[in-house]
């Protein structure tokens, strides 16, 4: 997975979710609304993601994740889901910090945490198929 900031992770996850739900590239306006940012901020980030080979962007058509962008988005989402499950199911804490906690987990810590809590996510994440087989196929889709 590419190392990404929390902001980049949010964009990648949102592009993934919008593209998956619509079956087409995510449009700038959709991303701006979902992320509660300006369209200009979205366009700037899309240019950055494209320069890092995490997404492709075509004006008026929208953005799609590259294979590396998809892999990174899925891992970001899985780590968020893992942190949320741990906080809510194991510690019985509802916490808005789950996303930040998930973002901070290294691959090793995420894997060890998953082994410790020993239960899969139940519908929220889109984990990479090759690494997180415990996630349901209907959650992940066939991508």
């Amino acid at each position: 997975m590419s190392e990404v900031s929390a902001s980049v992770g949010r964009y990648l996850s949102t592009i993934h979710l919008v593209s998956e739900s619509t079956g087409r590239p995510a449009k700038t306006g959709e991303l701006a609304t979902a992320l509660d940012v300006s369209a200009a901020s979205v366009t700037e980030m899309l240019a950055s993601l494209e320069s890092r080979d995490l997404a492709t962007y075509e004006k008026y058509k929208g953005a799609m994740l590259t294979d590396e962008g998809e892999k990174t988005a899925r891992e970001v989402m899985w780590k968020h889901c893992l942190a949320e499950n741990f906080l809510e199911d194991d510690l019985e804490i509802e916490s808005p910090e789950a996303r930040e906690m998930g973002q901070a987990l290294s691959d090793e810590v995420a894997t060890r945490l998953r082994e410790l809590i020993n239960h899969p996510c139940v519908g929220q994440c889109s984990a990479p198929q090759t690494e997180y087989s415990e996630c349901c196929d209907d959650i992940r889709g066939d991508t």
Side-chain angles (χ1 to χ4, degrees):
M1 171 179 106
S2 294
E3 290 297 317
V4 297
S5 68
S7 177
V8 169
R10 282 182 61 225
Y11 273 87
L12 292 174
S13 298
T14 304
I15 293 167
H16 169 75
L17 291 171
V18 170
S19 296
E20 286 289 311
S21 69
T22 63
R24 59 168 169 69
K27 296 183 178 186
T28 305
E30 293 170 320
L31 296 173
T33 299
L35 293 164
D36 195 27
V37 297
S38 71
S41 294
V42 171
T43 302
E44 185 177 320
M45 179 60 83
L46 292 176
S48 174
L49 296 176
E50 192 164 43
S51 73
R52 294 174 64 182
D53 197 35
L54 294 172
T56 58
Y57 172 64
E58 192 174 336
K59 194 174 182 177
Y60 304 116
K61 293 200 181 218
M64 291 291 293
L65 297 177
T66 62
D67 289 344
E68 183 64 22
E70 180 79 16
K71 179 181 173 189
T72 303
R74 287 176 178 268
E75 184 137 347
V76 165
M77 293 170 71
W78 179 75
K79 287 179 178 180
H80 169 255
C81 186
L82 180 67
E84 188 175 83
N85 281 340
F86 176 65
L87 291 173
E88 291 180 6
D89 296 345
D90 294 287
L91 299 182
E92 298 180 354
I93 299 170
E94 288 195 33
S95 174
E97 289 90 14
R99 181 176 303 279
E100 289 79 17
M101 181 179 162
Q103 180 72 29
L105 297 175
S106 69
D107 292 345
E108 180 182 358
V109 170
T111 300
R112 302 263 324 259
L113 182 60
R114 192 203 60 76
E115 291 168 358
L116 175 71
I117 64 174
N118 197 27
H119 60 82
C121 61
V122 291
Q124 300 282 333
C125 84
S126 296
Q129 292 173 327
T130 57
E131 295 182 38
Y132 306 108
S133 59
E134 68 272 12
C135 286
C136 306
D137 285 335
D138 60 323
I139 305 310
R140 288 192 312 235
D142 294 324
T143 57

